Amino acid sequence: MKNKEVLDEKNVDTENKEVTELKERIKELENQLREFENYARRLKAQFENYKMEAAKEKEMISVSATGRIVEKFIPVLDDFKRAFSGAEDSVKESVFYKGIEIIYKNFKKALESLGLKQIEVGEKFDPFEHEAVEKIEDEEKEEYTVLEVVEDGYKFLDRVVKPAKVKVSVKPRR
């Protein structure tokens, strides 16, 4: 019987050793699992950040390309305005003139829908939005008052793409 007891003790010791080894292995695997879960979370966060950055970059490229295209059409708007201002009164009553005027308005509306805005010219000269093409001496007007808009200016999404060309008043030299 003693042999059986010795064998049972050895089996118990072996089983305890195996259980201890298995518990240690489980702890290792649990630690590895936590590491993988943390890595997966970080990787997911990095990927989400990448997606947001890529979307922003795509939007910036789109806005930039649209801006360059819109800027190319500004001279066409100016040409329309010059053509209208140079037209005689008899021509202004023609169907052709009115048709061209409608085309101009639709063209301008399309550019505005893309983000183009005409610069509003107030009374005071603004060097960020205006370009002084002529200075006119005038004692009655306050200095750097806009007297006349020579050519309209435009902004694309709040960025000046063409400053308004204006005539401004200055005090006479003595």
Side-chain angles (χ1 to χ4, degrees):
M1 238 2 197
K2 277 193 171 190
N3 281 341
K4 188 175 181 189
E5 286 176 15
V6 171
L7 279 174
D8 284 342
E9 278 182 36
K10 283 185 180 181
N11 283 344
V12 169
D13 285 343
T14 305
E15 284 178 9
N16 283 342
K17 189 176 179 182
E18 285 178 3
V19 168
T20 304
E21 287 174 0
L22 288 173
K23 285 182 180 179
E24 286 176 14
R25 181 70 179 142
I26 288 172
K27 282 182 184 179
E28 286 176 21
L29 291 173
E30 285 174 342
N31 286 337
Q32 280 183 341
L33 177 62
R34 275 192 288 281
E35 286 177 21
F36 285 134
E37 286 174 339
N38 289 335
Y39 177 74
R41 278 190 208 98
R42 284 192 308 273
L43 195 59
K44 181 180 179 186
Q46 288 173 347
F47 182 66
E48 292 299 320
N49 289 339
Y50 167 77
K51 283 187 344 185
M52 287 190 296
E53 287 175 21
K56 284 180 188 176
E57 189 174 318
K58 183 179 176 184
E59 179 66 22
M60 285 174 38
I61 290 170
S62 174
V63 166
S64 176
T66 302
R68 286 194 302 266
I69 292 168
V70 167
E71 284 179 44
K72 298 287 183 190
F73 286 116
I74 290 173
V76 178
L77 284 176
D78 293 338
D79 289 343
F80 267 114
K81 286 187 176 182
R82 279 190 285 279
F84 291 142
S85 68
E88 295 175 10
D89 289 338
S90 61
V91 174
K92 290 181 181 180
E93 297 303 316
S94 72
V95 174
F96 179 76
Y97 181 89
K98 292 182 192 258
I100 295 297
E101 205 170 33
I102 290 170
I103 292 169
Y104 164 74
K105 287 177 184 175
N106 288 337
F107 179 62
K108 187 175 178 185
K109 193 182 298 181
L111 292 176
E112 287 171 349
S113 74
L114 293 172
L116 186 70
K117 293 178 188 164
Q118 187 171 327
I119 292 175
E120 297 296 323
V121 178
E123 285 193 24
K124 282 307 246 175
F125 177 77
D126 180 352
F128 296 105
E129 295 187 347
H130 307 141
E131 178 183 337
V133 293
E134 188 176 342
K135 294 177 182 176
I136 300 171
E137 292 182 356
D138 189 339
E139 282 197 27
E140 294 177 13
K141 298 278 183 179
E142 189 176 330
E143 192 156 58
Y144 294 108
T145 299
V146 175
L147 300 174
E148 181 184 341
V149 177
V150 176
E151 206 171 274
D152 290 328
Y154 297 94
K155 288 181 176 183
F156 177 72
L157 301 177
D158 297 326
R159 180 178 61 89
V160 175
V161 292
K162 180 185 175 226
K165 295 182 179 181
V166 296
K167 294 180 182 180
V168 294
S169 66
V170 291
K171 294 293 179 191
R173 291 187 182 167
R174 294 182 179 154

